Amino acid sequence: MIDHARDLEAVREATDRLLSATGKTDDGFLAGASRLPGWSRGHVLAHLSRNADALVNVLQGRPMYANSETRDADIERDAPRPLEEQLADLRGSGGAFLAAAATPADWSRTVTLRNGVTDSASRIPFRRWVEVELHHVDLGAGYELEDLPEEFVIRENDFLAERFAGHPGVVSTTAVTEDGRIWTTGGGADGPAVTVRGSATDILGWLCGRRDGSALTTEGGSLPALPPL
């Protein structure tokens, strides 16, 4: 059962880590390239701020974004801002999300996200946690996948394995850790079943597209190529 209140506290802690780390940088650092193709670190922070706004919209029954063009334009507009403005925006928008999520509500209701995707309202805090943690890694500021909380790694692997389950471009795949954790995914493509072995962190890196999977070993075939998130 999803504990949205516990996840909100995790969001708060992750945001504080991000703000603290980013506050030690400068404008030149933000102008540099992030680990996401075509995005500066300023793009990453701008996206996180606008994502917080968008999730407030979701919680309050409005469209997540007016449209894809507006979403992209807002990120481009906000990316070049100096560090002080980026931090103030991230702090304010993140706080507004936490405040909106603290309002009593029916957390079992279904909400609509981008591109018509639906989910339980109770999973929105976890989705925000994912945004903050993975994009902190994307900044290349010394925070790596290995620094992510263990609970987060396991739950995000659960989420991504479910997301790719039955995907027509992915053969049946089982990911196994050294300590015996197992995730199954894919299955919509023809071909022999593949077993992937490695640490939970390296499995996450592959599932979320942050690593090429070279640290993993495979049995039954080559490492499946996963669709972009």
Side-chain angles (χ1 to χ4, degrees):
M1 185 174 179
I2 299 172
D3 185 342
H4 71 273
R6 189 163 179 265
D7 286 348
L8 283 174
E9 184 56 34
V11 171
R12 188 186 309 278
E13 293 171 359
T15 302
D16 286 346
R17 283 194 295 272
L18 174 61
L19 287 167
S20 176
T22 308
K24 298 172 184 176
T25 66
D26 55 27
D27 293 349
F29 179 81
L30 291 192
S34 75
R35 292 173 175 174
L36 295 176
W39 270 17
S40 69
R41 296 185 179 100
H43 282 89
V44 174
L45 294 185
H47 163 64
L48 280 171
S49 293
R50 302 290 68 78
N51 172 261
D53 294 343
L55 291 179
V56 170
N57 288 338
V58 169
L59 290 175
Q60 295 180 349
R62 298 186 295 272
M64 187 170 182
Y65 296 102
N67 50 59
S68 294
E69 292 75 17
T70 298
R71 170 189 177 273
D72 295 345
D74 286 349
I75 293 171
E76 289 295 333
R77 178 198 65 205
D78 294 342
R81 295 175 302 176
L83 175 64
E84 184 176 350
E85 289 184 29
Q86 294 276 20
L87 292 178
D89 191 11
L90 183 58
R91 188 177 293 109
S93 59
F97 168 75
L98 291 171
T103 302
D106 174 12
W107 286 96
S108 67
R109 73 191 187 280
T110 297
V111 295
T112 302
L113 296 136
R114 191 181 175 201
N115 298 325
V117 172
T118 59
D119 203 352
S120 168
S122 63
R123 189 136 63 168
I124 297 304
F126 179 71
R127 284 181 175 270
R128 177 60 181 174
W129 188 14
V130 171
E131 293 286 330
V132 175
E133 293 284 22
L134 292 185
H135 286 316
H136 191 169
V137 173
D138 293 334
L139 288 176
Y143 190 70
E144 304 295 341
L145 294 179
E146 285 75 14
D147 298 313
L148 295 169
E150 181 181 11
E151 177 191 355
F152 174 84
V153 172
I154 300 306
R155 288 181 60 191
E156 178 64 349
N157 282 349
D158 291 344
F159 179 78
L160 292 174
E162 179 184 344
R163 177 168 180 163
F164 296 131
H167 193 283
V170 183
V171 298
S172 180
T173 305
T174 301
V176 184
T177 65
E178 301 96 324
D179 60 358
R181 291 187 180 275
I182 298 174
W183 292 276
T184 58
T185 194
D190 293 334
V194 174
T195 299
V196 177
R197 298 185 184 276
S199 69
T201 299
D202 283 325
I203 290 170
L204 172 61
W206 166 62
L207 286 173
C208 73
R210 264 69 179 182
R211 291 186 179 169
D212 62 8
S214 58
L216 303 171
T217 60
T218 61
E219 302 166 9
S222 59
L223 186 69
L226 300 175
L229 294 175

